[in-house]
Amino acid sequence: MRKSVIFSLILLVIFFIISNKPIYALYGAGPNCKVVAVGNCQNGIWSATCQGCECDIIDSSACQSANKSSCLSCTFSCSVRNEPAGQCNNPPTTGICQPCGAPPPPPPRTPTSTPTPTPTPYPTVVIYGLLKEYSEAMCYNNISSDNLSITIEPSFPNGIIHNCGITPPTEKTKSSYRCTIIFNNQNAAPTPIQDFFLKASANEYQSAYWTDNNVCNSIANNKISVNVAVENPPTAFNKDIFFQIASWIKLKNASFISSANFINIIPLNISPYDNDDTTNRYFIIGETGLVAANGLNMGTANISSKKWLTTGYSKQTILSTTNFLEYVRSRKKYQEITDITQIKEGINLYQGDLTININNQVNFNDKKTLLIVTGTTTIDIDNFQPNNGSVAIIASNINFTNDTKSAKGIFIGQTINTGTTTNDGLKIIGNLIANAGFFNGRKWENYFKPSLFIVFEPKIYLDLLPYLSISKYDWQQIQ
Amino acid sequence: MIGNKYNKQKGQVLLITVMLLATILTVVLSLSFKSTGETQITKLEEESQKALAAAEAGIEAALKQGAIANISSLPGLESFTGSVNIETTKNNAFISPLLQKDEQYTFYLSQPGSNAPEQTDFTNLISQYNNNALTVCSTSNSIALELTLIKAGSSPSTKRFSINPPTTTIIQNAEDANQLGACPSGENFSYKHQLSAEDIGSNNLILIVRIINGTGKVGFTAPSGINLPLQGKSIISEAKSKTGVNKKVSLFQSYPQIPSDFFVTSF
C-alpha cells in the first residue's frame, strides 16, 4: 500500500517535469492548471496587474475595452491544459494564485463527518460607478476636476487592502471610478462582515456622495455593507458618485476686475441662460476683455476664449461714487429732484432712498438719464427696461427685489444685492459695478444655468457720455 | 591878531554845515528813490497778477461761450485788451495726461455733432478715424494696456485688445507690443504697439485705453499725413493791461472721459 502511494507521487512529479509547466498551485485546482496572468511574487504574495493584452480578464468591464492599460485590477483565469481525464474535475477558473513552489494541497480525505468549508482565499469586492454632476434633481454624466480624490474607508482596516482608480486618470473630465477591496485572509484576520465608507472630494464641487440605488437626489448615503463570510457573497457593487454644484455667474462682452478672491465654479455640463447666452463653458463669452482679480477659481473652466488674465491684482479706486457726486456739484449741470416724476434728461440728484417699480418706470422712457441717489435704490419690477431710454443709477446701495428678472441699465453702487430666489436668475443688460459689497442669492432650480448673467451694453455709455463722465484739464502759462 | 583867528573859525563852520547838508540830502534823496522804485515794482506785480487773472477769466468764459474776439468785452475786464482763441488745428499725434493704475483714457476716433469744435453734442458722435493704422505708445515698461474699441451701429459693438510690454507677461495670453509705428515727440516712450488698419476697421467712435499695473502716459500717432480727430478744447487766452503787461495762458479740456470705475464690471 505504501509503495503504491509513493509510486503515484513519483509519477506525478515526473508528469509535471515532462509537461514543463510552471508550478502555480491553485486551491482546489487540478495539477494541470496554469495561470496566464503576468505579475510577480513578493513576500509570499502573488500580485498581478493587467499588462497590455497579457492579462486574461474576466469581470472588469473596463478591461474589456481596447485600452487595457486602463485596467487597475483583474482576476485571473486558469486555462486547463492537457487535462487527463478525471484529474482536473471541475477546476475553478478564477481565484488567487499561490506563490511559486508552494506545495500542492493534500488529497482530500475520505470524509467521516461533514467537512468544514474552506474559506475562499483573498475575497475581493469591487465598488464601481459613474461620476455625475448633481443639482436639484438633475444629473449629468462626467465631472471636471483637477484634484479629485476617492477612497473607500473600512470600518475595520486590519487585513483590508483597498485602492481606487479613476477613469481617465489624467484628464480633467472624469467619467467613472473603480475601487478594489481585498480581504487578505491568508496573512491577517480581516473582519468579513463590515461597513465601508466613501470619502470623495473635489475642490470644484460642494460635496460628493453615494445615494441609495443611484437615485439622482441629494440624500447622501456613503455607507456600504459587505459580508464575505457567506457562501457566494456579492463581489461587485455599482455605486455612482454625485458631485453637487453651486450657483455661478456669467458675463458677456465684458471685462472684469475684483480685489477679492473670486470663486465662481462653472460646472462641466452647462445650459445657456437664454438666447443671448451660449453653451460655451466660460466665465465671459462674446467679445471678452481682461479678468483681473486677487484670486480666481472657476473650477476647471477657462475664464474666456482669449484667457486674458492677471491675478494677485488689487483694484485701485480712482473715482468713488462720493467723489463723483462732488464733481457733479462743482462741474456739471444737474437738477435736484424730490420725486421720481421730476426726472429729466441729464443728471438728476435724489436725496434719500428711492424705489423704482412698475408704476414709476415710465418716467425713464424716452430719456437719457443719470440718476444719483444718496441712499438706497430698490428695483422692484419684473423687467426694468425704459422704453427708448438709457439710464444709469449711482447709489450708495442698490437692491434688486426677488421679483426682478431683468434690468437694463448701468448700476453702480457701494453695495449691490441681487436678491435671493430658489428658481429665478437675474439678467443685467448694461453693466453692474459694486465697489464695496456684493451679494448674489439668485438660484435656479438647478445650477447648470448661471444665476446671474450680465451683458455689457456700450450703447448706454454712448447715450450717457455727457453725464457719466468727467473732463481732464491741462493748464499752462505760456507767457 | 585875535580877529584873524575868529575869521578863520567862521569859515570852518560853513564847510561843516555844507557837508552835513550834502550828506543829509544824499540820504533823503536815496530813500526817496528807493520808495519810488518799490512802488513801481509793486505796481508792476499788481498789473501782472491782474493780467494773468484776466487771461484766466478769458479761459473760463471761452469754456462756456466759445472764442472771444476782444477780452475787454467781458465784465470787469474793460481795461484789458486781448483775445481768447480756440485751437482747431488737428495733429498727427496726441499724448494723454499722466494716468494712474486702473485709470483709463477715452480717446476719440470721432467728433461730436457736426464736426465743429463748438458743437458739443456728445450723444451724437460721428465716426472720423477709420481704416487707418494707429500706434499706441506707453511711457512705462511696467504698464500693460487693455484697449476697448467702441464702434457705431444700430447696436454699437466692442472690439478688445490686450498688450503687454515687450518681454513681460503682466496679462497672461496677451499680445506682446509689436514695436511698430512711431510715437509722439515730447515724451520718452518705453514701447509702442501698432493696431493695423484692419484692426481699427470702420465705424469707430472711441478707443478706451486702460492702464494695468503701473502709472504713465499714453501716446497716439496716426500714419504720416493723416491727422487724428480733436481730443478736446485747446483754449489760448491772452490779456494785456493798459500799462503793457502781457499774460498768455492755455488750457486743454478733454472731451468727456468715462471713468474706469464706472466702466469695468466689478464685484
Side-chain angles (χ1 to χ4, degrees):
Chain A
M1 179 62 179
R2 197 196 303 177
K3 282 183 185 173
S4 64
V5 170
I6 293 170
F7 182 68
S8 297
L9 285 172
I10 292 169
L11 278 179
L12 184 68
V13 170
I14 292 169
F15 178 78
F16 274 119
I17 292 169
I18 291 171
S19 64
N20 196 27
K21 302 276 191 293
I23 301 175
Y24 300 119
L26 192 68
Y27 265 150
N32 298 312
C33 292
K34 176 188 172 183
V35 174
V36 296
V38 176
N40 58 63
C41 291
Q42 275 190 349
N43 300 322
I45 297 176
W46 170 261
S47 64
T49 55
C50 301
Q51 299 290 333
C53 297
E54 296 180 41
C55 183
D56 190 4
I57 309 303
I58 291 186
D59 68 349
S60 165
S61 61
C63 295
Q64 298 292 339
S65 67
N67 181 15
K68 290 189 180 175
S69 63
S70 66
C71 297
L72 297 169
S73 65
C74 53
T75 56
F76 321 117
S77 70
C78 288
S79 57
V80 179
R81 310 229 174 136
N82 300 322
E83 177 191 9
Q87 290 197 7
C88 277
N89 295 323
N90 301 318
T93 56
T94 65
I96 305 292
C97 295
Q98 284 295 305
C100 306
R109 295 184 180 178
T110 303
T112 54
S113 59
T114 305
T116 305
T118 308
T120 305
Y122 301 101
T124 301
V125 168
V126 169
I127 305 174
Y128 67 98
L130 300 176
L131 305 174
K132 295 183 175 181
E133 283 184 336
Y134 167 81
S135 174
E136 305 300 324
M138 285 190 69
C139 292
Y140 289 96
N141 288 348
N142 300 329
I143 67 166
S144 183
S145 175
D146 273 329
N147 51 24
L148 175 62
S149 167
I150 299 176
T151 58
I152 304 291
E153 300 293 328
S155 303
F156 304 100
N158 178 42
I160 301 294
I161 304 168
H162 57 94
N163 81 302
C164 294
I166 298 166
T167 301
T170 54
E171 292 167 25
K172 290 181 183 180
T173 302
K174 319 281 186 191
S175 58
S176 63
Y177 79 102
R178 181 183 178 89
C179 298
T180 304
I181 302 169
I182 300 172
F183 290 73
N184 183 8
N185 56 6
Q186 302 304 299
N187 299 296
T191 305
I193 305 172
Q194 61 171 295
D195 295 333
F196 291 84
F197 297 90
L198 171 70
K199 300 277 185 206
S201 66
N203 280 354
E204 296 83 357
Y205 297 92
Q206 286 188 320
S207 59
Y209 53 90
W210 289 327
T211 63
D212 290 336
N213 303 314
N214 290 337
V215 172
C216 178
N217 61 29
S218 61
I219 305 170
N221 183 359
N222 287 338
K223 184 180 79 173
I224 201 168
S225 299
V226 173
N227 180 356
V228 295
V230 298
E231 199 173 342
N232 298 321
T235 56
F237 295 85
N238 176 224
K239 302 290 289 182
D240 294 341
I241 302 179
F242 298 87
F243 293 79
Q244 191 153 34
I245 60 178
S247 66
W248 53 288
I249 297 170
K250 196 168 192 178
L251 310 183
K252 183 174 181 180
N253 299 334
S255 296
F256 177 77
I257 191 167
S258 176
S259 290
N261 291 325
F262 184 59
I263 299 173
N264 188 53
I265 310 292
I266 301 175
L268 178 64
N269 303 282
I270 64 172
S271 306
Y273 188 96
D274 60 11
N275 291 337
D276 260 343
D277 192 5
T278 66
T279 53
N280 290 331
R281 189 170 171 248
Y282 296 129
F283 172 44
I284 308 178
I285 60 170
E287 186 59 32
T288 67
L290 168 67
V291 173
N294 186 36
L296 203 64
N297 186 355
M298 301 278 160
T300 58
N302 282 317
I303 50 168
S304 68
S305 58
K306 292 178 185 172
K307 303 180 193 175
W308 292 342
L309 171 68
T310 183
T311 54
Y313 201 81
S314 180
K315 177 184 176 297
Q316 178 169 292
T317 299
I318 308 296
L319 184 71
S320 67
T321 52
T322 307
N323 291 347
F324 182 69
L325 178 56
E326 290 169 7
Y327 178 90
V328 164
R329 284 188 161 130
S330 62
R331 283 285 179 182
K332 285 187 176 286
K333 287 182 189 170
Y334 69 98
Q335 68 153 1
E336 197 151 340
I337 61 174
T338 55
D339 188 88
I340 204 169
T341 56
Q342 299 166 357
I343 280 183
K344 289 183 183 170
E345 180 137 322
I347 303 176
N348 301 266
L349 173 61
Y350 183 92
Q351 305 271 7
D353 299 337
L354 181 68
T355 296
I356 299 171
N357 54 36
I358 195 164
N359 298 318
N360 57 31
Q361 181 193 217
V362 65
N363 293 291
F364 294 93
N365 291 350
D366 303 305
K367 295 187 185 88
K368 294 166 185 173
T369 305
L370 169 59
L371 175 61
I372 302 176
V373 178
T374 59
T376 297
T377 300
T378 301
I379 313 290
D380 183 15
I381 181 171
D382 177 62
N383 178 18
F384 175 60
Q385 184 156 339
N387 186 30
N388 195 36
S390 291
V391 62
I393 297 175
I394 297 178
S396 291
N397 309 299
I398 298 179
N399 294 334
F400 295 88
T401 63
N402 301 342
D403 294 326
T404 305
K405 293 181 174 54
S406 71
K408 184 169 183 179
I410 297 169
F411 303 95
I412 303 167
Q414 281 298 104
T415 64
I416 294 183
N417 186 334
T418 64
T420 302
T421 60
T422 54
N423 189 26
D424 253 328
L426 176 65
K427 181 177 181 180
I428 302 290
I429 304 168
N431 209 347
L432 188 141
I433 294 156
N435 291 327
F438 177 68
F439 176 76
N440 176 37
R442 291 279 170 158
K443 291 179 188 176
W444 289 105
E445 264 188 345
N446 71 75
Y447 297 149
F448 296 106
K449 270 201 296 193
S451 63
L452 175 64
F453 185 41
I454 301 171
V455 181
F456 179 81
E457 178 52 74
K459 183 179 186 302
I460 303 177
Y461 284 97
L462 293 173
D463 285 346
L464 300 179
L465 198 50
Y467 317 125
L468 193 63
S469 61
I470 59 174
S471 285
K472 291 189 184 291
Y473 298 89
D474 188 11
W475 183 93
Q476 285 184 345
Q477 183 174 342
I478 302 171
Q479 186 178 335
Chain B
M1 294 294 192
I2 294 171
N4 285 340
K5 187 178 176 181
Y6 181 72
N7 285 339
K8 280 183 190 171
Q9 284 178 342
K10 274 174 77 173
Q12 284 179 348
V13 168
L14 181 61
L15 184 63
I16 291 166
T17 305
V18 167
M19 285 175 65
L20 272 174
L21 279 173
T23 306
I24 290 166
L25 192 62
T26 304
V27 169
V28 167
L29 280 175
S30 71
L31 281 174
S32 170
F33 180 75
K34 188 176 176 188
S35 172
T36 305
E38 280 182 354
T39 302
Q40 281 181 341
I41 289 170
T42 303
K43 241 188 138 94
L44 199 62
E45 276 182 8
E46 190 184 321
E47 288 292 310
S48 181
Q49 293 293 330
K50 283 182 180 176
L52 184 62
E56 288 177 347
I59 295 274
E60 285 288 337
L63 282 173
K64 290 176 187 167
Q65 67 193 51
I68 300 167
N70 196 342
I71 208 169
S72 62
S73 63
L74 297 174
L77 299 183
E78 293 82 1
S79 60
F80 291 89
T81 57
S83 62
V84 188
N85 298 306
I86 297 177
E87 289 288 323
T88 56
T89 307
K90 294 183 182 178
N91 292 308
N92 168 260
F94 177 81
I95 301 174
S96 77
L98 188 68
L99 302 171
Q100 300 176 55
K101 172 177 170 285
D102 295 327
E103 200 171 357
Q104 67 187 27
Y105 195 80
T106 306
F107 185 73
Y108 283 76
L109 299 174
S110 57
Q111 285 296 277
S114 60
N115 289 336
E118 290 79 12
Q119 295 292 328
T120 55
D121 181 12
F122 287 96
T123 63
N124 180 26
L125 293 175
I126 297 172
S127 179
Q128 277 201 337
Y129 194 88
N130 299 304
N131 301 308
N132 288 314
L134 179 70
T135 301
V136 182
C137 307
S138 167
T139 56
S140 170
N141 254 331
S142 63
I143 288 176
L145 303 173
E146 185 198 36
L147 312 178
T148 303
L149 188 55
I150 298 183
K151 293 175 173 283
S154 56
S155 187
S157 60
T158 55
K159 192 173 179 182
R160 297 185 195 263
F161 308 87
S162 268
I163 312 296
N164 273 325
T167 70
T168 66
T169 313
I170 296 169
I171 301 173
Q172 295 175 33
N173 304 302
E175 202 175 343
D176 277 353
N178 58 24
Q179 301 286 50
L180 298 175
C183 289
S185 58
E187 282 289 345
N188 193 14
F189 289 98
S190 295
Y191 72 87
K192 55 192 175 183
H193 182 81
Q194 188 177 69
L195 298 173
S196 67
E198 195 181 10
D199 285 334
I200 293 291
S202 60
N203 292 327
N204 299 302
L205 296 180
I206 52 179
L207 174 68
I208 294 176
V209 182
R210 184 159 65 109
I211 303 294
I212 308 296
N213 200 54
T215 299
K217 293 185 180 182
V218 178
F220 303 86
T221 315
S224 175
I226 296 172
N227 287 325
L228 296 170
L230 293 175
Q231 297 301 311
K233 262 187 194 173
S234 284
I235 304 170
I236 297 179
S237 174
E238 187 172 10
K240 188 174 181 180
S241 69
K242 280 184 179 170
T243 55
V245 177
N246 193 18
K247 290 294 175 188
K248 197 173 185 182
V249 295
S250 75
L251 177 76
F252 173 75
Q253 179 194 42
S254 74
Y255 283 160
Q257 297 290 308
I258 303 173
S260 63
D261 295 282
F262 298 165
F263 188 73
V264 183
T265 307
S266 172
F267 42 81

